[in-house]
Amino acid sequence: MRKCRSILVTATVWLSCGAAFAASPPATDYCQRLQQEIQGRKHGFLAGNITYYVGGFHASWELKEHETLGLTHPFHHDLRSRGVGLVQSRCKGHDDTGRGNDFLGWEFYKDTRVLYGSVVIGEKIHSHPIPTKMFWRPDRMICEYEVDGVQLREEKFIAANDAACSVIIASQPVTLRFDGRSFFGRHSVTSTAKIKYDADHNAIHIVEGGTTKCRPETDRSEHVGPIMYEGMSTVLAASRNFAKNHRFKKGGHGEWQYEFDVPCNSKGVVLVWAMHDDGRQAIQNATAVLGGSSAGILPAQQEHPTERQQDATATTSTRAREMMLAKTRQMNRQLNEDIPWFRCSDRKFEDIYYYLWSLYLMYYIDVQRGWEMEPHTQTAVNNFLGMHRYDATFQIRVGAWTANKSRYAYGNVLTWKHLFKAGHYRKSPDGVISLADNKGTTWHSGVYGNELSEHVLGAWRIYQHTGDLKFLRACYEGYFREVFHQRIAPFFSNHFEVAEVLTKMARLTGHDDDIEHWQRLTPLGEEQIRTWFDQRWQINGHKSFFGGSKDGMLMTTGFWHMRSKHFPRDYALRMTQSWAQDQEKGFTGDFFPLAMARQSMETYASNADHAFGYTPDTAYFTLDGMFRQRLGNPAWRLTLNHLENYNFHSGWNIPVAPEAYTRSGKLFGDQYSNFNAGKLLLYLEGLAGLEYSIPDNRLLVHDTMPTNWQWMEVRLPIRMPGEEKTHWPAIRYERSQSGDDIAKSIRVSDCPLRITIAPWSETKRVIASESQPHSSRMSTASQYPSYVFDERDSVAHVKLRLANE
């Protein structure tokens, strides 16, 4: 006879209803907490709104150029171009990509050469010193140097007005020499740039100009046209006067090369770069960081400045530091007030969570011109410029969890509506409408795909989190209603849910005549849906696999179908058991998941296959399906395995966000990739198991908390319609074990919504339960017994006893 051990699990919900608001979570200096030492490991990265900074240069994680004193690669990026050129597409119809598309010059930032610093000590010039240490934070970079016994410290940031700034101090008086040039890249043909020294503002003023090769059309044919900076003003200013210490020289292609000297000591020197279409505005932005005028500029060679000049210089330095602190406050405010607060018993996973959120927020851009009329996030700015239709499938859902959804959620959906309204789409013979995968103010890529149906589900999630009918109407009318009218192209079996959501949107926006159309377009009968899945199970001879291809290329995309609520759970269990953790034929390599099954790798072994061995999108879609199927142990174990190995570098002891890893486990691609944003959903919707709907007045908690964690807590920023303040309901999960007894609790406090709690029983049999006060038990499923509490209850407490057999 087997011994049956009894386990006590307690699920607690503390619910305080009414008009009271919970206090926001305790403020944390996340900029300081996320600081990481990156010298020799990663290039630097800073973000403004339309200004970005890359310090040094790594070619896909391979060091090519160290960062140095000054501002090596600040660049303007307002989506007027996808690369280096501003050429109008000569194609007509659907292949007309507009003005500014470019398949050639995505990485133009590395051709910028703005302010490269050297240190002059006596007669010796120490060219472009390498930092002894370089620290990255979301708000700034900090570089430390030692040059011939002199210590230098530099802080770089991008101010609120999009001016890039460097503040440098030296332990002993030295001269700093900076060199650079007007823009001229590897694809440039000519330069028509103009340059002058502006004595009134102690600034170098460049009017950029020239021509470049570019490839604006999908056939990749090469054209020559104006550079993306044509007619723009670049302004370089300093807090120390260099009127008598600047030199200009014309290069071999007409570009202007410049050099200037400024003194530096313990009082420091401030350098500023600004760029704008209006030269006066560029000057104003630069001088604003220096105090608003030339009054704070100290003559370069004056060893004994007057008291007035000392005060002016101090004011300049103070103003720059005030703007730097303002940037810190802005980033900390976003990370404290605009996203869900998360803590757990393993700090490493907290750091990954906030690091990924910091990148997601840093990439937000708000141009307000052309087809860019809404703020939205981006995937990258130094290769894939802008937002991508495919990446938006999960970036839209991430935005739904922010506090200020008009700022961080709506635009991720609605920015794509502009292409459709402008007629820039492709329609297949069977009625599928596709949009381009990337766009800017006046251009699109001309590369089409069918992920838009997933945008519908993301928009619905935003509506559930806001109850905003105006937003829903903007999505449905003139966009979703027309795009999917003839056919819903499925994104890995999502078309059944998309049809259901479009039906709900029609009803809520007053288009009742559309309801029958959506129901007829995609049959939603239970038997019909099951038959659809049955027909694709184990096809082409692939046992326990869904949707396997004829050519034998098995990808993680087979798992992605599990994200549909209609996917048969028995199929999900069998596929996960057979393929998820199999190291001979399946998807486990150095960590989970490999993008391609091992049994397919010998056949498919191109350079691209090897380079993109592990990718963040495949991980999100695969693991998300496991959580949606409530697979429990495989879901949380594989998720922690992935986060710990993909997004945390154990050798450096810091979070990372690479675009990919090679099959052999080497870092690959972009270093600060927002392609990782979907992992945030694995925390909130997966491990924490959170769902809420303001229209339905419901918060559901169905956790899959790792059994090797002692506790976890999430605080959600929820804004109810008509209320200005933010509610912060706290959901705390605790688990402890003493011998054979396990205690588990879930507490929810200060929630404005009615609560349902479905605690994960860890696959153990429920042998007893009680609730205080009384609740309506909706389900007796062994893994997730579900309890609904009266909305008037201020405290709810559920106890479960489980048998560990």
Side-chain angles (χ1 to χ4, degrees):
M1 182 177 179
R2 289 184 302 165
K3 181 180 180 181
C4 179
R5 290 177 292 173
S6 177
I7 300 173
L8 178 65
V9 178
T10 303
T12 308
V13 179
W14 297 97
L15 179 58
S16 177
C17 298
F21 286 82
S24 57
T28 299
D29 186 350
Y30 288 110
C31 291
Q32 178 62 44
R33 175 169 176 171
L34 291 173
Q35 178 173 300
Q36 43 180 254
E37 215 284 279
I38 62 170
Q39 174 55 29
R41 301 168 176 174
K42 297 194 287 184
H43 61 70
F45 172 62
L46 297 171
N49 180 31
I50 53 176
T51 289
Y52 301 88
Y53 181 75
V54 174
F57 173 55
H58 284 65
S60 188
W61 294 86
E62 182 180 348
L63 176 61
K64 296 293 185 180
E65 174 193 79
H66 284 285
E67 173 66 310
T68 192
L69 284 163
L71 298 166
T72 53
H73 302 295
F75 60 101
H76 179 94
H77 159 55
D78 63 359
L79 291 169
R80 68 182 61 196
S81 172
R82 196 188 192 194
V84 290
L86 285 172
V87 172
Q88 179 70 44
S89 171
R90 299 174 186 175
C91 296
K92 301 299 181 183
H94 294 308
D95 291 323
D96 177 7
T97 59
R99 183 175 188 263
N101 187 46
D102 186 6
F103 290 101
L104 187 62
W106 293 347
E107 297 182 324
F108 68 84
Y109 79 92
K110 62 190 179 187
D111 289 333
T112 62
R113 187 179 180 89
V114 179
L115 289 174
Y116 279 64
S118 300
V119 183
V120 181
I121 302 177
E123 300 297 319
K124 188 174 182 179
I125 300 174
H126 302 268
S127 297
H128 310 148
I130 298 170
T132 55
K133 292 182 180 180
M134 181 164 70
F135 300 94
W136 175 91
R137 300 162 36 132
D139 60 328
R140 72 183 78 164
M141 288 169 52
I142 303 167
C143 297
E144 298 177 358
Y145 308 84
E146 182 173 353
V147 180
D148 200 12
V150 178
Q151 312 295 320
L152 297 103
R153 177 182 170 88
E154 178 181 32
E155 294 179 282
K156 313 185 190 201
F157 69 98
I158 297 176
N161 66 358
D162 269 324
C165 180
S166 167
V167 180
I168 306 171
I169 60 173
S171 62
Q172 300 176 34
V174 296
T175 296
L176 301 182
R177 176 167 296 169
F178 295 95
D179 65 89
R181 69 179 181 215
S182 59
F183 182 81
F184 193 85
R186 66 198 63 199
H187 304 300
S188 293
V189 177
T190 63
S191 174
T192 57
K194 300 176 182 178
I195 193 170
K196 68 176 182 178
Y197 173 73
D198 181 343
D200 290 339
H201 301 96
N202 187 45
I204 294 173
H205 188 163
I206 301 167
V207 178
E208 306 281 3
T211 59
T212 183
K213 298 175 184 177
C214 57
R215 295 175 182 168
E217 293 154 1
T218 53
D219 64 1
R220 306 301 202 268
S221 58
E222 198 167 273
H223 300 260
V224 174
I227 62 171
M228 72 295 186
Y229 285 164
E230 181 68 30
M232 293 191 72
S233 287
T234 298
V235 172
L236 306 168
S239 60
R240 298 278 186 151
N241 192 289
F242 55 89
K244 298 180 180 179
N245 294 287
H246 67 272
R247 298 161 289 281
F248 300 152
K249 177 183 176 182
K250 204 162 193 176
H253 300 279
E255 79 280 10
W256 282 100
Q257 300 167 2
Y258 50 83
E259 184 179 87
F260 65 89
D261 300 343
V262 290
C264 182
N265 55 23
S266 60
K267 298 291 185 182
V269 63
V270 180
L271 305 168
V272 185
W273 168 98
M275 200 166 193
H276 202 278
D277 288 304
D278 184 337
R280 290 171 298 181
Q281 187 64 53
I283 291 172
Q284 182 177 324
N285 290 346
T287 56
V289 182
L290 298 175
S293 71
S294 60
I297 299 168
L298 184 66
Q301 304 302 323
Q302 189 164 336
E303 295 183 6
H304 304 289
T306 66
E307 184 175 338
R308 179 175 178 274
Q309 289 169 332
Q310 286 180 326
D311 290 342
T313 303
T315 300
T316 298
S317 178
T318 299
R319 179 57 178 157
R321 293 194 176 279
E322 285 175 351
M323 296 188 82
M324 182 165 60
L325 290 174
K327 181 60 176 256
T328 302
R329 287 193 296 270
Q330 176 202 16
M331 286 305 307
N332 274 331
R333 184 198 59 75
Q334 289 177 300
L335 292 167
N336 277 283
E337 300 178 13
D338 283 324
I339 66 171
W341 185 91
F342 175 79
R343 295 290 188 273
C344 69
S345 55
D346 191 331
R347 184 182 173 96
K348 169 172 44 186
F349 293 98
E350 295 178 13
D351 290 342
I352 294 170
Y353 175 83
Y354 281 99
Y355 180 67
L356 296 183
W357 265 117
S358 73
L359 296 182
Y360 181 85
L361 295 170
M362 288 173 72
Y363 278 118
Y364 266 80
I365 185 171
D366 190 5
V367 177
Q368 293 297 312
R369 188 170 68 251
W371 299 335
E372 290 289 326
M373 295 302 296
E374 298 85 13
H376 60 77
T377 192
Q378 304 169 90
T379 295
V381 294
N382 60 339
N383 50 26
F384 267 2
L385 302 176
M387 196 178 196
H388 286 253
R389 181 200 62 242
Y390 170 77
D391 306 2
T393 57
F394 46 84
Q395 291 166 348
I396 289 170
R397 294 179 70 94
V398 173
W401 290 95
T402 60
N404 186 354
K405 295 173 183 62
S406 61
R407 165 69 180 170
Y408 298 113
Y410 294 176
N412 293 335
V413 181
L414 293 174
T415 189
W416 300 98
K417 184 176 180 179
H418 297 286
L419 285 184
F420 178 71
K421 289 178 66 177
H424 288 281
Y425 58 85
R426 177 170 289 172
K427 189 173 184 178
S428 69
D430 61 352
V432 174
I433 289 180
S434 305
L435 297 183
D437 76 328
N438 189 206
K439 73 172 185 67
T441 56
T442 57
W443 60 269
H444 66 87
S445 68
V447 179
Y448 298 89
N450 296 322
E451 300 92 5
L452 272 182
S453 58
E454 192 70 12
H455 291 203
V456 175
L457 300 182
W460 182 249
R461 178 57 55 87
I462 294 170
Y463 170 71
Q464 291 295 305
H465 288 190
T466 61
D468 189 340
L469 278 173
K470 184 178 179 181
F471 163 73
L472 197 69
R473 185 170 285 109
C475 293
Y476 186 73
E477 295 176 351
Y479 188 29
F480 292 158
R481 188 184 187 212
E482 286 77 9
V483 167
F484 301 103
H485 184 76
Q486 285 188 249
R487 184 165 179 245
I488 299 172
F491 180 75
F492 302 99
S493 303
N494 74 348
H495 51 306
F496 301 112
E497 288 176 87
V498 172
E500 294 169 358
V501 165
L502 289 171
T503 300
K504 294 175 183 177
M505 287 184 176
R507 182 177 292 112
L508 287 165
T509 56
H511 295 279
D512 291 345
D513 293 344
D514 294 351
I515 294 173
E516 185 179 349
H517 169 74
W518 297 123
Q519 294 173 340
R520 186 174 62 251
L521 189 66
T522 303
L524 299 174
E526 187 175 332
E527 291 186 10
Q528 293 169 302
I529 294 174
R530 178 65 193 229
T531 298
W532 192 90
F533 283 105
D534 288 346
Q535 290 172 345
R536 290 156 179 79
W537 176 247
Q538 299 190 135
I539 60 173
N540 297 314
H542 302 298
K543 188 176 180 181
S544 298
F545 198 81
F546 188 86
S549 63
K550 292 180 180 179
D551 60 11
M553 180 187 280
L554 299 186
M555 307 292 287
T556 54
T557 49
F559 287 90
W560 299 8
H561 299 270
M562 290 163 48
R563 299 175 68 243
S564 169
K565 69 179 182 181
H566 300 289
F567 190 87
R569 192 169 185 274
D570 56 324
Y571 291 174
L573 286 166
R574 290 165 60 184
M575 188 157 64
T576 300
Q577 291 166 359
S578 298
W579 291 92
Q581 295 169 287
D582 190 303
Q583 296 197 17
E584 293 184 5
K585 68 174 183 180
F587 291 89
T588 296
D590 293 335
F591 47 92
F592 180 85
L594 281 161
M596 184 185 296
R598 285 190 172 276
Q599 76 171 38
S600 305
M601 285 185 176
E602 290 186 10
T603 304
Y604 298 95
S606 68
N607 289 337
D609 292 329
H610 277 282
F612 292 92
Y614 303 85
T615 60
D617 61 317
T618 58
Y620 162 65
F621 287 124
T622 301
L623 294 165
D624 182 48
M626 293 182 186
F627 283 115
R628 295 198 193 192
Q629 294 296 324
R630 299 194 177 185
L631 298 188
N633 275 311
W636 77 258
R637 289 184 187 278
L638 292 173
T639 295
L640 264 56
N641 168 272
H642 175 83
L643 292 171
E644 185 170 21
N645 288 282
Y646 194 106
N647 291 111
F648 196 86
H649 196 294
S650 58
W652 302 339
N653 198 36
I654 59 173
V656 292
E659 182 181 358
Y661 283 79
T662 65
R663 283 184 182 175
S664 60
K666 294 182 179 179
L667 293 157
F668 182 78
D670 185 21
Q671 295 186 338
Y672 298 85
S673 177
N674 198 24
F675 208 20
N676 287 271
K679 279 56 160 322
L680 295 166
L681 301 171
L682 298 180
Y683 281 88
L684 299 169
E685 299 176 4
L687 300 175
L690 297 174
E691 298 179 26
Y692 76 91
S693 171
I694 288 177
D696 296 336
N697 187 33
R698 176 177 61 89
L699 172 67
L700 169 63
V701 184
H702 55 91
D703 73 293
T704 309
M705 189 179 84
T707 59
N708 61 355
W709 285 4
Q710 289 74 53
W711 61 274
M712 174 173 68
E713 184 171 341
V714 179
R715 302 188 188 185
L716 293 178
I718 296 177
R719 293 182 179 175
M720 301 296 286
E723 295 181 355
E724 294 183 1
K725 292 185 178 180
T726 302
H727 294 264
W728 286 93
I731 305 96
R732 185 172 177 87
Y733 314 72
E734 294 182 356
R735 187 182 189 277
S736 61
Q737 184 167 358
S738 177
D740 292 336
D741 289 335
I742 294 176
K744 181 177 179 180
S745 68
I746 298 177
R747 302 190 309 274
V748 178
S749 60
D750 302 296
C751 182
L753 305 170
R754 186 177 187 181
I755 289 216
T756 297
I757 183 168
W760 179 44
S761 61
E762 302 176 8
T763 71
K764 298 171 175 64
R765 183 167 59 92
V766 179
I767 58 176
S769 68
E770 61 176 291
S771 63
Q772 296 176 356
H774 179 72
S775 65
S776 301
R777 186 169 179 177
M778 298 179 61
S779 169
T780 57
S782 60
Q783 283 206 68
Y784 289 91
S786 182
Y787 301 84
V788 179
F789 298 94
D790 193 293
E791 57 188 335
R792 294 170 297 178
D793 291 337
S794 59
V795 177
H797 189 179
V798 176
K799 293 182 179 181
L800 304 179
R801 289 188 61 217
L802 307 178
N804 191 19
E805 299 173 326

